Amino acid sequence: MTTAAVYYQHVEHGGKVIDLPVGKVVCIGQNYQDHIAEMNSLTAPEAPFFIKPNTALCAMASAIEIPKNQGAVHNELEIAVLIKQPLKQANPSQVGAAIWGYSLALDLTLREQQARLKQLGRPWEIAKGFDNACPVASFIASDKIADPQQLKFSLQVNGIARQAGDARHMIRDINALISEMSHHFTLLPGDIVLTGTPAGVGPLQAADQLQVQLADYFTLQTQVS
Ligand code: ZN
């Protein structure tokens, strides 16, 4: 048996480990109109929520090992929210106080696998929940961000702009979508919520150089391996 190479902890911007467990990742699909358009997605009034297991988490700053020979692995850069207090059937007004802070994460997706599974009417966990399917950057404490609903963020791949997001364009705002999630799944301290991807998803290849930026808070360089 080999030792697990995956070792993830929530980290504060500056490098300090955050004293919260490593929980599940709860995600929303179809939260930006431009991404719904690029995917030609069928939509429904209910938000599509899904979960990635905690084994999908890895540090974005380290080289990101992606699956090989399983078809295209797509980038989806999203605002990530770290939860510090339990949320069960919470109102949007109760959500803010339960948030530790904000960061960026990649909701890596085996796109061809996902399309095949959708067509078969099957769950898509294996396309979204594999090991390293959720690289996360360091978190900025919520008291340092005046209005998270105005955060801008971007992804460059090999120096070329690929995604540019603006939280003001979310269909469900952060507190509303977390409230809605908490009516399906109780959120616990150490869970991470992903808030959906804007347009610009596309395939990543080994050796790609990535640069992600969260407003004026940080710019991070990493690579795909
Ligand atoms: Zn996503």
Side-chain angles (χ1 to χ4, degrees), residues 51-101:
I51 289 180
K52 291 174 183 261
N54 61 2
T55 44
L57 288 164
C58 62
M60 197 191 284
S62 307
I64 301 166
E65 207 176 311
I66 59 171
K68 309 284 185 293
N69 308 316
Q70 294 189 60
V73 181
H74 275 199
N75 57 273
E76 295 190 2
L77 185 69
E78 312 193 2
I79 292 176
V81 182
L82 178 60
I83 303 295
K84 68 175 180 184
Q85 283 168 19
L87 286 170
K88 185 181 177 70
Q89 300 181 354
N91 301 319
S93 63
Q94 299 171 304
V95 170
I99 293 175
W100 191 96

Side-chain angles (χ1 to χ4, degrees), residues 5 8 14 18 31-32 43 48 60 135 140 155 185 189 213:
Y8 171 83
I18 299 168
N31 204 30
Y32 290 86
T43 57
M60 197 191 284
I140 309 290
L155 167 67
F185 314 110
Q213 186 171 355

Side-chain angles (χ1 to χ4, degrees), residues 27-30 35 50 52 76-78 106-109 111 128 194-197:
C27 310
I28 184 171
Q30 304 184 345
H35 176 60
F50 60 96
K52 291 174 183 261
E76 295 190 2
L77 185 69
E78 312 193 2
L106 284 163
D107 169 17
L108 294 180
T109 304
R111 190 67 72 198
K128 289 263 194 192
L194 300 193
T195 55
T197 183

Side-chain angles (χ1 to χ4, degrees), residues 7 11 87 106 115 135 138 157 159 169 183 206 208 222:
Y7 183 67
V11 173
L87 286 170
L106 284 163
S138 55
V157 180
H169 298 157
H183 285 75
D208 278 349
T222 189

